[in-house]
Amino acid sequence: MSGLLDARACAVPGEASDLKSPLGCRLREPLTEARFQQLFGGAEQDRELPAEPCLPRLYRSWKRRAGVCSRSGAWRLLLARLPPVRWLPNYRGRAWLLGDAMAGVTVGIVHVPQGMAFALLTSVPPVFGLYTSFFPVLLYSLLGTGRHLSTGTFAVLSLMTGSVVERLVPEPFGRNLSGIEREQLDAQRIGAASALAFGSGALMLGMFALQLGVLSTFLSEPVVKALTSGAALHVVVSQLPSLLGLSLPRQIGCFSLFKTLAAVLTALPRSSPAELTISALSLALLVPVKELNVRFRDRLPTPIPGEVVMVLLASVLCFTSSLDTRYNVQIVGLLPGGFPRPLLPTLAELPRILADLLPIALVTFAVSTSLASIYADKFNYTIDSNQELLAHGVSNLISSLFSCFPHSATLATTSLLVDTGGNTQLAGLFSCLVVLSVLLWLGPFFYYLPKAVLACINISSMRQMFFQMQELPQLWRISRMDFAVWMVTWVAVVTLSVDLGLAVGVVFSMMTVVCRTQRVQCLALGLAEGTELYRPLTESHKLLQVPGLCILRVPTPIYFGTRGQFRHDLEWHLCLGEGGKEIPDGSPGSVAEPVRVLILDFSGVTFADAAGAREVVQLAGRCRDAGIPLLLAQCNALVLGTLTRAGLLDRVTPEQLFVSVQDAAAHALERL
């Protein structure tokens, strides 16, 4: 206690204090908020200014927007909304061009089989996966800010889209469709899938107009990783009928994973030996190649294109052995050459898919932004989350006119692009050239490709998502609350569905944040001897507590969810009302005699709502009635303004508001 007493003794009445000198800080009088604002100015003066009328404020806002029409304003808008204008003038051709070309070509080669495979997952013909691997990649290269991001077909979005397509346009079960009926069914499904892309793109553009890029923070890392891991299990199970050569209706809705497993087990005796053999051989090649690429990524000049090798071998084998006619093996068939005719999606489907647009848009934005942020931090540049909303919104909206389904950044191809030396968005243009060559000239070579091989490509591409479960032990050691969020989200995704699991994960994650703020208790502070530092009494037994002085730190916002805990803590410490109780001497946080002065350290209170502000005002009134002076310290301007509007200054005076705990304690000692 000597440090505090010495500090008090240094304040000589009538002696001038050098408030602006660091050496005079130990010889000054206690600073109240009002005195501090008189000396240094600040937010208090700003709050006293009269509110500006609405019309002049709107006029200035319109004037700023109209300034975009000027030459300089248009140039700034172009720089902000067209990223290549910024990075192309600084492009280092000799250092980056070869890496971008190699990475783009490699990713484009992988896009071809993966695009066709994920198209089957979306319940549309394979060629539309190639369209989705071309148009969105081209548009994102022009609008995106992620230099190392690879966009295109994504398994999770394909699964979500396929579930909606199957619900809207179910395939008749139990009879073979004629060629014309099959074309009509495919056209309806393509219309539903492109309507989803159109709607999710429009939704993301609306979010961009409202500058809602901050929404990506609501999908925490445990939620995103649990979502992708659970969706990977859905992908594997949904591909089992194709692996076994079974023609089964696709299960949708809650518990679809278990329904699919039950249907597969029931129909297992009817599986095709030929397609089962093709699937086994394909997985026997793809899985070891994936493992080799991961283990020897530093030694290999470029990853081994296992998918391309498998596609070529399976196509040649099916053609030479006539597996499609002799053993009824399902093949891809003719891939139409060129591009589809631009067509506006069927907007009549929009009312039926409104509930599906938000989860698809959120997954698109969250996965893409999190991937872009990871590599932006790694390579020391920044991304604009609102510009990412614009890029993915425009790419989904425009590509839907060319019969594309929803898409986003992909985990596997983004990692591949970085490993093969990609540096900028220019790699996406080289990737588009590869897909373009397939659409224009190489499509007929995939005629005899067995669909079972595409199912195997889908399953092998889930390897990286499954391996995210290896992080669970480390997550348990770091934060058990985040571990609970991961597990709840994963179980909800697996048992219910991807979109419902996402909703459960987000709600549960938000609930954990609220619960953690409600469980925080006020901390009693003591003085470290020989200093002016105040620390929680639970940290050390050597901290001193001045008799009759109670200093409490409030480490959480005061709002409707924490007001009850706040009231209980104060009653417990002050022995007020039903919450108070007698505390035996020597117990942690106890006071040796009744409290005569109370100091509340509000440095941890970031905000207070109306309910919380009224609770503080009521506490001030109870303290005044009990004859206990209440001093507030380190209350930020936002919280202080809320408390003032709630009537705090009717219970306390401005001389009871201090800039620091030390100032409040020095003032309190003068009263004791």
Side-chain angles (χ1 to χ4, degrees), residues 12 44 48 74 80 85 107 125 216 230-231 251 280 310 352 364 380 382 397 429 441 586 602:
V12 180
E44 186 69 26
E48 292 175 356
V85 179
V107 170
S216 62
Q251 303 293 334
M310 191 65 248
R352 303 172 61 188
T364 300
N380 195 25
T382 59
L397 188 69
L429 300 182
W441 304 295
F602 270 28

Side-chain angles (χ1 to χ4, degrees), residues 522-598:
C522 297
L523 302 174
L525 303 183
L527 175 67
E529 187 174 3
T531 71
E532 293 183 355
L533 301 178
Y534 291 86
R535 306 289 296 177
L537 293 175
T538 56
E539 292 185 0
S540 174
H541 297 291
K542 297 181 180 180
L543 297 176
L544 303 177
Q545 191 170 16
V546 181
L549 176 61
C550 181
I551 306 176
L552 298 178
R553 176 179 294 165
V554 185
T556 181
I558 304 176
Y559 65 104
F560 66 92
T562 59
R563 57 178 296 191
Q565 181 67 35
F566 174 74
R567 183 195 313 120
H568 174 76
D569 286 350
L570 268 294
E571 289 176 346
W572 190 86
H573 282 282
L574 302 179
C575 300
L576 295 175
E578 299 178 357
K581 63 178 181 179
E582 294 296 330
I583 308 172
D585 293 339
S587 62
S590 65
V591 291
E593 62 180 48
V595 176
R596 289 187 286 161
V597 179
L598 172 64

Side-chain angles (χ1 to χ4, degrees), residues 57 65 92 169 211 251 317 329 361 375 409 454 473 475 508 528:
R57 199 165 57 240
R65 295 181 181 179
R92 293 183 282 177
V169 191
Q211 298 291 285
Q251 303 293 334
L317 178 64
V329 172
Y375 288 103
L454 297 180
L475 190 61
F508 185 76

Side-chain angles (χ1 to χ4, degrees), residues 340-361:
R341 182 170 58 90
L343 185 65
L344 187 69
T346 307
L347 300 183
E349 298 288 351
L350 285 180
R352 303 172 61 188
I353 60 176
L354 285 178
D356 304 294
L357 296 180
L358 182 59
I360 288 177

Side-chain angles (χ1 to χ4, degrees), residues 62-78:
W62 294 335
K63 188 175 180 180
R64 282 197 304 269
R65 295 181 181 179
V68 175
C69 298
S70 66
R71 181 177 300 177
S72 60
W75 177 247
R76 287 195 301 270
L77 180 63
L78 188 65

Side-chain angles (χ1 to χ4, degrees), residues 339-417:
F339 295 108
R341 182 170 58 90
L343 185 65
L344 187 69
T346 307
L347 300 183
E349 298 288 351
L350 285 180
R352 303 172 61 188
I353 60 176
L354 285 178
D356 304 294
L357 296 180
L358 182 59
I360 288 177
L362 285 179
V363 170
T364 300
F365 179 52
V367 171
S368 302
T369 306
S370 60
L371 269 178
S373 299
I374 289 173
Y375 288 103
D377 294 340
K378 181 177 180 180
F379 292 98
N380 195 25
Y381 64 92
T382 59
I383 65 165
D384 183 351
S385 58
N386 287 306
Q387 179 66 20
E388 289 296 299
L389 272 175
L390 175 66
H392 290 288
V394 170
S395 62
N396 273 276
L397 188 69
I398 295 181
S399 62
S400 68
L401 305 179
F402 296 92
S403 303
C404 297
F405 48 85
H407 55 273
S408 72
T410 61
L411 303 174
T413 55
T414 297
S415 177
L416 180 62
L417 186 143

Side-chain angles (χ1 to χ4, degrees), residues 124-135:
V124 297
V127 69
F128 294 94
L130 296 180
Y131 299 151
T132 310
S133 299
F134 176 79
F135 291 104

